[in-house]
Amino acid sequence: MVKVSDANFEFQKVIAVVGVSLLALKFFAYYLTGSVAILTDALESIVNVIAAFVGLFALYISAQPADKSHPFGHGKVEIISASVEATMIMVAGGMIIYESILSFLNPGEISDLDIGLVLVAFAALVNFLVGRIAIRKGTKNRSPALVASGRHLCSDTISSVGILIGLFVVYVAMAMGYDARWLDSSIAIIFGVIILVTGLKVMKECMDDIMDKADEEVLDAVTDAINEYRHDDWIDVYHLRMIKHGPKIYIDMHVVFPRKMTVQDIADEVDELEEAVSARYGDSIEISVNPVPCCEFNCRNCCRNCFDRDCEFERKVVWTSAMLCCDKPHAVDPRITIRQDRSFI
């Protein structure tokens, strides 16, 4: 079975090859037409190629196994790669705006637009297909680098489509005898701004990953798995925390077990808990469980047949992701104080 990290790396190779091929195609289209809009599209493709190889290197590093120096693996390098790509997207947008303004002030000659339109349309179609597949794979495999590469290709597609529409208008106007060269630069400016905004969005996602923002979708899925597989010995689950390292997700949680359980019984329960989550995510998620012995206030939410019960069972708690992330046990008696070391007095 192909590892997720290896699959990400192999697809990034495809992105790099596509990037180099389309770069040559777009510069050929510019050579034929002299259109500044096509030139700006080609300039962005230079950034695409550089970003593709940066992403390729990052995914190669990310796929390396954990070692003594990096016990949680090398997945964080993908965030660095994605932030580099975001910066390059913004630089490409700025370059496009700058070149377009110069061309607007000093418009050049445009020719052979019919051939140029066909070449740019083909490049846009390829970019869109590869970009959407990259985003889908990157989202499924939780690869920030692959998602950023896909977003980069899709932003290139957006600019190419806009340029196609604009150049078609220019082509029709010139065929009718009008001087519409100014439209060439105006369209490029508009899509330069769109690309700049795309880069800002990718950068914001990188900042969220650097700050370990919780993935709400994964949290909800983990919560559903725990609720689905839960049984009476899992009295309570709380203080769940999540950290992403590229395609790997590390989850830490506190689980309340019956206080008279043996160490072996608790180990078996922990294994079941890990299997419940792994059934959905495989080895891309690692779980660390901190077992906590039950206390008297847990009896109200525990329906086990227990001879050490301090009070009657009242109701069963249905856990939500927000409840699991709470740093205190649920239904705590207000007369009980919880110390920072999670013991009870």
Side-chain angles (χ1 to χ4, degrees):
M1 184 177 179
V2 179
K3 290 173 58 178
V4 168
S5 55
D6 292 338
N8 293 342
F9 179 69
E10 291 301 319
F11 194 78
Q12 187 68 26
K13 287 182 182 179
V14 174
I15 293 175
V17 171
V18 169
V20 173
S21 303
L22 295 185
L23 172 64
L25 186 68
K26 289 181 181 180
F27 268 106
F28 179 66
Y30 168 66
Y31 172 77
L32 290 177
T33 63
S35 167
V36 69
I38 293 179
L39 172 62
T40 56
D41 204 18
L43 288 174
E44 189 194 1
S45 289
I46 295 176
V47 177
N48 283 353
V49 170
I50 297 172
F53 281 98
V54 170
L56 190 62
F57 177 72
L59 286 169
Y60 170 76
I61 298 297
S62 177
Q64 302 307 305
D67 53 34
K68 183 178 179 181
S69 300
H70 305 86
F72 289 98
H74 302 77
K76 285 287 187 180
V77 72
E78 292 197 33
I79 302 175
I80 299 173
S81 167
S83 63
V84 170
E85 288 207 39
T87 303
M88 289 183 170
I89 293 173
M90 291 186 286
V91 168
M95 289 170 58
I96 289 172
I97 294 170
Y98 175 74
E99 291 292 335
S100 302
I101 291 174
L102 291 182
S103 178
F104 184 83
L105 297 175
N106 300 288
E109 294 299 322
I110 301 176
S111 62
D112 295 319
L113 271 181
D114 49 353
I115 301 175
L117 286 172
V118 172
L119 294 177
V120 173
F122 176 75
L125 178 62
V126 173
N127 267 337
F128 177 77
L129 293 176
V130 177
R132 291 306 303 172
I133 294 173
I135 291 173
R136 186 160 57 249
K137 281 182 173 290
T139 302
K140 179 183 178 181
N141 298 338
R142 289 170 296 282
S143 171
L146 201 55
V147 170
S149 293
R151 292 277 178 85
H152 206 156
L153 292 176
C154 286
S155 72
D156 195 19
T157 302
I158 292 172
S159 63
S160 296
V161 169
I163 287 167
L164 281 170
I165 295 171
L167 289 181
F168 181 75
V169 173
V170 173
Y171 176 74
V172 172
M174 291 178 66
M176 297 175 64
Y178 295 101
D179 184 5
R181 289 177 298 172
W182 63 274
L183 270 175
D184 185 37
S185 303
S186 302
I187 293 161
I189 291 174
I190 293 171
F191 284 92
V193 173
I194 293 174
I195 291 168
L196 194 63
V197 171
T198 300
L200 289 171
K201 289 181 179 178
V202 175
M203 183 61 77
K204 180 185 179 299
E205 292 176 2
C206 292
M207 293 301 103
D208 287 340
D209 285 338
I210 289 172
M211 297 170 66
D212 292 319
K213 181 180 179 181
D215 188 321
E216 298 293 337
E217 183 179 344
V218 174
L219 269 178
D220 290 339
V222 169
T223 302
D224 291 342
I226 292 174
N227 277 316
E228 180 181 347
Y229 288 90
R230 73 183 290 180
H231 52 77
D232 294 346
D233 287 334
W234 302 356
I235 299 173
D236 196 11
V237 180
Y238 66 98
H239 205 205
L240 186 149
R241 294 173 294 178
M242 175 189 302
I243 296 178
K244 293 194 292 184
H245 283 256
K248 293 283 289 185
I249 296 178
Y250 297 89
I251 294 178
D252 176 81
M253 67 179 78
H254 286 60
V255 181
V256 178
F257 294 114
R259 56 180 174 265
K260 288 193 175 181
M261 261 191 171
T262 65
V263 173
Q264 183 59 55
D265 289 338
I266 291 176
D268 293 340
E269 296 298 329
V270 169
D271 288 342
E272 283 191 38
L273 193 57
E274 291 176 347
E275 288 173 6
V277 178
S278 297
R280 298 198 179 193
Y281 286 99
D283 62 355
S284 63
I285 287 186
E286 288 192 16
I287 298 177
S288 174
V289 176
N290 299 291
V292 179
C294 67
C295 293
E296 60 270 18
F297 62 81
N298 293 120
C299 294
R300 292 179 295 175
N301 306 117
C302 175
C303 56
R304 293 178 72 253
N305 292 321
C306 178
F307 296 107
D308 300 313
R309 182 174 293 280
D310 294 304
C311 61
E312 293 300 318
F313 168 71
E314 295 179 8
R315 64 184 179 87
K316 189 174 184 178
V317 176
V318 178
W319 297 311
T320 63
S321 57
M323 292 174 67
L324 295 187
C325 292
C326 179
D327 62 352
K328 294 181 177 61
H330 306 114
V332 176
D333 192 303
R335 293 171 296 179
I336 298 174
T337 302
I338 304 179
R339 296 203 302 258
Q340 290 301 314
D341 61 0
R342 307 296 172 198
S343 58
F344 305 95
I345 58 175

